[in-house]
Amino acid sequence: MERFLIIGSGPAAISAIETIRGKGSKVEITLLSEEPYIPYSRPLISYLLAGKIEEERLFYKGRDFYERYGVKAFLEEPAVEVNIREGIVYSTKGRKFTYDKLLIAAGGKPIIPAVEGKELKGVFTFTTLNDAKNIAKYLEVEKAERVLIVGGGLIGLKATEALLEWNLNITLVELADRILSLTLDKKASNILQWRLEKESVKVITSNTVQEIRGQKKVEEVSLRSGEILPCDMLIFAIGVAPSVSFLRESGVEINRGIIVNEKMETNIPNIYAAGDVVEIKNIISGKNQPIAIWPNATEGGKVAGANMLGEDKFYPGTFPMNSVEVCGIPTISMGLTEPEGNDYEVFSKEEGINYRKVILRDNRVVGAVFVGNIERAGIFCGLIKDHLDVSPFKSRLLDDDFGLIYLPREYRKRKIEEAIGL
Amino acid sequence: MKRIYIHEEYCIGCRLCEIHCIAQHSRSKKLIKAFKEEFPRPLPRLVVEESGYISFALQCRHCEDAPCLSACLTGAMYRDEKTKAVLHDKDKCVGCWMCIMVCPFGVIKRDENNKIVSKCDLCNGEEVPACVANCPNEALEYR
Ligand SMILES: Cc1cc2nc3c(=O)[nH]c(=O)nc-3n(C[C@H](O)[C@H](O)[C@H](O)COP(=O)(O)OP(=O)(O)OC[C@H]3O[C@@H](n4cnc5c(N)ncnc54)[C@H](O)[C@@H]3O)c2cc1C
């Protein structure tokens, strides 16, 4: 029987397994995961830390996923080396795993900057379930009150939002001149910063941590600006990098992430990769880059799984997008949100905290931002994907009742038919 | 699977579909009770779009390759194995709005009272969904 080996147990891996079994295949599936858990949803760790949900809810595929899907899982047993010539993966426990086909879905690892003091107690990242548990434990045991969050991107904000429920004294420091600078435009960033400050979060921009000091645990932090902040806990949230260190010598081609084609094949026959670990085509810029979002992991995993079974499926790529809610203000952003240069046409509208902006290039939507009123934002996601010429109705894009009705009738009909596979 | 088909040329924009959708998803499932006595009132799980002389009701297409299923972080959005409908388990939803971000039809709504999303469930096992059953001009069809 054919043997599939999967490295990782995140959504890319899970979606590949669901695809493989969903097609009725009985291949042998073995899985290695660095973490001690059955599949869980990383994005839910902020809800857990906030006390909004129980730990059980993180196991979004049910406790019996591996059994139901016939997966032989080796937990807390990360891959350390891949030998492509012999088709063997070595684990930390010194075990050898042979495969006919290999899927690398090892996701991303949080980036920790090389600052003095980063090994002190009280310094955390916020990526895994263990991170969330360790943070909660530290807060309880050490009675930490002053928390510094380094990085004002998605994960930094998720951590902030969760910790607001703990009644702490929170400072957020961000290197760029505004929070969520990679995904939101200036106005939306400002709205969220204003909201955080209203919640007594101290937001420091254009600055970062220079040194972490303390006897055994974090006691204070010095910033690049020279400012010294007393602090009991620090969370690094400056980004994730594809988890590829175990592949460096393997011959699998890697840039920042693993390089794959539209079939999610690496340069090595029978080795596939998907999710945060790969560079995927950004269909707006045309360039390949890691796009570390959940839907990219599930979509890529689905295509990889099908192709491992010998099908001919393609994943044309995606674009950065996210949905982040901060203190009750929902935001959705997609594509280019703060474009530079003269090639763009920008429409925007603002009413209190409700803000919408749509960016066009050559009469095609290439980006959008929604704050407050996020209703029907997905229509714009569809317009970006479909590369539709919006010139006939572009003056309507920000109308309150904007909807499919303004789209060309033929396109609308085709879209509805395609959805149901006609 | 059985689906709702839209015939926009027959739609008269009366919004009876919307009203009956609300009633169907209310506690009593009774029109007058739902509107007079039940608060907060459930959201309609469809949108009626209207511009000039054209109008139509639009509800979840239960897509074959559903972007909301790929985007859901919690397992709340799932495909019913028997009917193939895309359904939503409100006990699993945390209101992350990822599905709203990716639904190209814009038919998943935010239920702000409950901090979860709300969408068409094809009236969960009813012979004919309420919007279709109550359309006076056959602008919606279930087959
Ligand atoms: C706090 C937080 C909030 C987020 N919120 C959102 C959000 O709102 N929306 C969104 O789209 N995305 C969000 N994301 C990002 C999303 O979680 C990721 O894009 C997604 O999990 C990537 O899936 P993946 O399968 O590629 O890898 P991961 O989920 O990173 O999983 C990687 C798996 O590989 C395992 N692994 C790693 N190295 C090895 C090894 N050497 N050997 C064996 N196993 C290994 C890990 O243990 C893990 O099981 C969030 C992430 C975090 C941390």
Side-chain angles (χ1 to χ4, degrees), chain A residues 41 57 60 294-295 298-299 302 322-323 325 330 374-376 378-379 381 403-405 409 412 419-420, chain B residues 3 8 49 54 61 63-65 70 72-74 91-94 96-97 100-101 103 105-106 110 115:
Chain A
S41 171
R57 292 253 309 262
Y60 69 117
W294 185 277
T298 49
E299 298 280 344
K302 197 155 73 180
N322 229 315
S323 160
E325 183 163 322
I374 58 166
E375 297 304 327
R376 312 200 80 189
I379 295 177
C381 187
L404 267 71
I405 203 153
R409 188 147 192 243
R412 180 165 84 220
I420 59 175
Chain B
R3 298 175 190 270
E8 62 182 62
E49 295 203 17
I54 317 171
R61 302 286 88 207
C63 301
E64 284 213 320
D65 207 357
S70 300
C72 181
L73 308 172
T74 63
D91 296 330
K92 289 191 173 169
C93 183
V94 294
C96 72
W97 322 130
I100 292 182
M101 174 173 82
C103 173
F105 298 102
R110 218 152 58 99
K115 293 271 315 158

Side-chain angles (χ1 to χ4, degrees), chain B residues 9-29:
Chain B
E9 59 283 15
Y10 297 141
C11 178
I12 57 173
C14 64
R15 294 182 177 261
L16 282 172
C17 49
E18 191 170 273
I19 289 168
H20 285 278
C21 178
I22 292 172
Q24 177 67 28
H25 294 95
S26 68
R27 262 166 287 138
S28 64
K29 300 198 176 188

Side-chain angles (χ1 to χ4, degrees), chain A residues 7-13 32-35 42-43 45 77-79 105-109 126-127 154-155 158 243 246 274-277 292-295 297 322-323, chain B residues 73 98:
Chain A
I7 299 179
S9 189
L32 296 184
S33 177
E34 181 167 34
E35 293 171 74
R42 285 193 172 176
I45 65 171
E77 185 156 356
K109 291 262 151 65
F126 192 53
T127 316
L154 168 75
I155 300 201
K158 294 262 175 186
S243 177
F246 66 103
D276 282 9
V277 79
I293 56 173
W294 185 277
N322 229 315
S323 160
Chain B
L73 308 172
M98 291 287 291

Side-chain angles (χ1 to χ4, degrees), chain A residues 233-252:
Chain A
M233 180 165 109
L234 181 149
I235 298 178
F236 279 119
I238 59 174
V240 291
S243 177
V244 289
S245 53
F246 66 103
L247 295 169
R248 286 288 170 208
E249 310 290 316
S250 68
V252 174

